Amino acid sequence: MDDRELVKMIGGIIGTDTVEDDCAKIPFGDDYIILSTDMLHETTDFPTGMTDWQIGWMSAAVTISDIASDGAVPLGLLLAAGLDRPERLKGIMQGAKACCDEYGASLIGGDVDAHSELTIVTTGIGRVEKENYTGRKGALPGDLVCIVGDPGYAQAALDGDARYRDYLLIPKPFVYEGRELSKAGVSSMMDVSDGLALSLYDLADLNGVGFEIDSGKLPKTLPQDYVLYGGGDFGLLFTCEESILRSLEVGATVIGRVISDAGVFVDGKTVERRGYVHKWD
Amino acid sequence: MDDRELVKMIGGIIGTDTVEDDCAKIPFGDDYIILSTDMLHETTDFPTGMTDWQIGWMSAAVTISDIASDGAVPLGLLLAAGLDRPERLKGIMQGAKACCDEYGASLIGGDVDAHSELTIVTTGIGRVEKENYTGRKGALPGDLVCIVGDPGYAQAALDGDARYRDYLLIPKPFVYEGRELSKAGVSSMMDVSDGLALSLYDLADLNGVGFEIDSGKLPKTLPQDYVLYGGGDFGLLFTCEESILRSLEVGATVIGRVISDAGVFVDGKTVERRGYVHKWD
């Protein structure tokens, strides 16, 4: 069983709509309040050798990225830490605060607890005008498929390429870009933290469409396997009409087009449905 | 080192005001958005024999209680679960949803992860008009000290008294009461989930006052040791002017009075500063 099957089951309890996005949204006057929570553990999420400061930064960045992918402005972050050693908290909080400061959010509270394995749960709150909100639903056949950021570097670093360590250890969520894309009216958006291929499948399935990706348009500084299947990057994947792309003031790469047939294809060949998932044996 | 020392250290990083309450508050027009997060683990927080449904209920109730103690209306809850066995999630989500339904909140999302020890982090969001907000600060010498609910039953149940098992396993946050007290204008409020004595100390320290408690006014169905030092109850502790108490339509028990001298006393004798804390050896 993996986490995607579990999320489906949860949809049966709390509503299918509720589990379609990494963020929850609550109507609040002319705005939506956007909320997202992420659980990270030492053994599965924090590469060996990370400092506590980097762990704090990454924990904040994961959640801020989710909020950014809805086009929202991050307002605040809560951090709950299950600590194996209490002295780690200082570095973790300093790292999380640095990330919050960088993206205009406040570190507004949390909880602490003793735990055999370091476990951090960050919950973020953001705000977006209703007319500027972008969810995962909305991609239409004929739309362009685009990315912001270069997927694969975090995975390359995890596999030992020291040139890309900062992509892995101090990831930068695309907050400004997510907001601009959303205001420009892109049709659907999500971050690619579980890997580009898996994100493409998630978005395709949810929208009842498919994606035809052109390998010639994928970034070429890394082997294609990293670009498609590497996890841990916070790039944004979005779809939009061609006219919208021309008006964008954000650096984005067109990688393909939305098609009406189900599936994800690169140069006409089906892409493997794999990436970053949590599994239970 | 215990969690209270850690929270002090965090105050040095993210601001002392920020760590004074279990909840964070964000101004939003005429309202405050109230946020709270709580981390619970199998070994330290869930008594042996609890069902997954009860674990879900309790996890939701802990956070809803924090929101209620600010006088806020709970709106939504996120639940992040680190699961030792994925099949536990269904019962946990059903229990959490039942608790949310009971108190008018929506279970709006979450995260799942594999973990060696069951770990649940709930984050709640609530809303309160600025003029109806009650925090922990505001107690003044001369105010009455009051409680809603009967502290000690959860601890008695934990120690084996089967009559009180529901107090421990399916705790009921005082959402309606917190809201009514807050609207009536009580001067400070918090829940007593770490035990009455420790909560009295927390409130006294924060307000630069002391409390003189009258043992004759404490509930008598349990030994005083349970009433003062037992944890796991979600009763509310609050202070208010006498005139406000007379107007209340909520069942509350006056247990003493706010004094200007520091300390917490029962019949003039200093109370031990102990209750529920997380410790690292």
Side-chain angles (χ1 to χ4, degrees), chain B residues 33-253:
Chain B
I33 295 280
I34 301 294
L35 292 166
S36 185
T37 195
D38 291 281
M39 178 177 272
L40 303 175
H41 308 266
E42 182 111 58
T43 49
T44 51
D45 298 290
F46 303 129
T48 311
M50 267 184 108
T51 65
D52 291 335
W53 191 97
Q54 289 166 341
I55 285 174
W57 176 287
M58 180 190 275
S59 301
V62 168
T63 294
I64 289 174
S65 178
D66 286 335
I67 288 172
S69 70
D70 279 2
V73 176
L75 298 175
L77 193 86
L78 302 167
L79 187 150
L83 298 161
D84 51 343
R85 289 179 291 115
E87 57 270 25
R88 300 186 71 173
L89 186 62
K90 192 172 182 179
I92 290 167
M93 292 301 288
Q94 286 170 335
K97 184 167 191 305
C99 185
C100 285
D101 286 349
E102 179 77 23
Y103 297 102
S106 300
L107 190 53
I108 50 177
D111 194 17
V112 288
D113 209 347
H115 208 298
S116 54
E117 181 195 341
L118 179 68
T119 305
I120 298 182
V121 175
T122 47
T123 305
I125 180 169
R127 173 184 193 161
V128 59
E129 309 81 9
K130 279 179 182 165
E131 75 260 27
N132 287 332
Y133 172 80
T134 305
R136 292 188 176 186
K137 262 190 173 163
L140 290 172
D143 281 355
L144 299 173
V145 182
C146 313
I147 53 173
V148 168
D150 297 310
Y153 286 118
Q155 188 71 48
L158 192 60
D159 292 348
D161 195 325
R163 289 172 298 174
Y164 306 132
R165 277 185 70 80
D166 277 3
Y167 285 88
L168 177 67
L169 301 180
I170 315 174
K172 311 284 193 299
F174 289 92
V175 175
Y176 168 78
E177 292 80 359
R179 179 92 181 127
E180 290 300 307
L181 291 168
S182 208
K183 287 201 285 189
V186 304
S187 53
S188 71
M189 183 157 59
M190 66 183 292
D191 73 10
V192 299
S193 52
D194 295 334
L196 180 58
L198 211 52
S199 301
L200 285 164
Y201 272 108
D202 284 343
L203 207 59
D205 293 351
L206 196 61
N207 284 285
V209 297
F211 296 126
E212 177 56 58
I213 305 302
D214 178 349
S215 70
K217 292 177 176 168
L218 289 173
K220 279 181 205 61
T221 45
L222 288 175
Q224 191 176 297
D225 208 61
Y226 278 118
V227 175
L228 285 175
Y229 305 111
D233 293 289
F234 291 169
L236 295 171
L237 165 67
F238 67 95
T239 59
C240 71
E241 293 176 15
E242 286 204 46
S243 60
I244 284 175
L245 190 80
R246 284 191 292 269
S247 71
L248 284 183
E249 294 184 20
V250 164
T253 308

Side-chain angles (χ1 to χ4, degrees), chain A residues 1 3 6-7 9-10 13-14 18 24 26 28 31 33 35-41 44-45 75 78 80-86 89-90 93-94 97 107-117 119 121 123 125 127 278-280, chain B residues 1 3 6-7 9-10 13-14 18 24 26 28 31 33 35-41 44-45 75 78 80-86 89-90 93-94 97 107-117 119 121 123 125 127 278-280:
Chain A
M1 190 180 275
D3 50 1
L6 275 185
V7 168
M9 184 276 288
I10 296 169
I13 300 173
I14 67 174
T18 312
I26 300 177
F28 214 94
D31 295 331
I33 295 282
L35 292 166
S36 186
T37 195
D38 291 281
M39 177 177 273
L40 303 176
H41 308 267
T44 51
D45 298 290
L75 298 175
L78 302 166
L83 297 161
D84 51 345
R85 288 178 291 115
L89 186 62
K90 193 171 182 182
M93 293 300 288
Q94 286 170 335
K97 182 164 190 307
L107 191 53
I108 50 177
D111 194 17
V112 287
D113 208 348
H115 207 297
S116 54
E117 181 195 341
T119 306
V121 176
T123 305
I125 180 169
R127 174 185 193 161
H278 287 104
K279 279 197 175 141
W280 290 263
Chain B
M1 190 180 274
D3 50 2
L6 273 187
V7 168
M9 185 278 288
I10 296 170
I13 299 173
I14 68 173
T18 311
I26 300 178
F28 215 94
D31 295 329
I33 295 280
L35 292 166
S36 185
T37 195
D38 291 281
M39 178 177 272
L40 303 175
H41 308 266
T44 51
D45 298 290
L75 298 175
L78 302 167
L83 298 161
D84 51 343
R85 289 179 291 115
L89 186 62
K90 192 172 182 179
M93 292 301 288
Q94 286 170 335
K97 184 167 191 305
L107 190 53
I108 50 177
D111 194 17
V112 288
D113 209 347
H115 208 298
S116 54
E117 181 195 341
T119 305
V121 175
T123 305
I125 180 169
R127 173 184 193 161
H278 287 105
K279 278 195 177 142
W280 290 262

Side-chain angles (χ1 to χ4, degrees), chain A residues 212-215 218 224 228 264-271:
Chain A
E212 176 56 58
I213 306 301
D214 178 349
S215 70
L218 289 173
Q224 190 176 297
L228 286 174
V264 177
F265 310 92
V266 171
D267 303 338
K269 245 185 83 182
T270 295
V271 168

Side-chain angles (χ1 to χ4, degrees), chain A residues 53 57 64 74 95-106 170-173 175-176:
Chain A
W53 191 97
W57 175 288
I64 289 173
K97 182 164 190 307
C99 186
C100 285
D101 287 348
E102 178 76 22
Y103 297 101
S106 300
I170 316 174
K172 310 286 191 299
V175 174
Y176 167 78

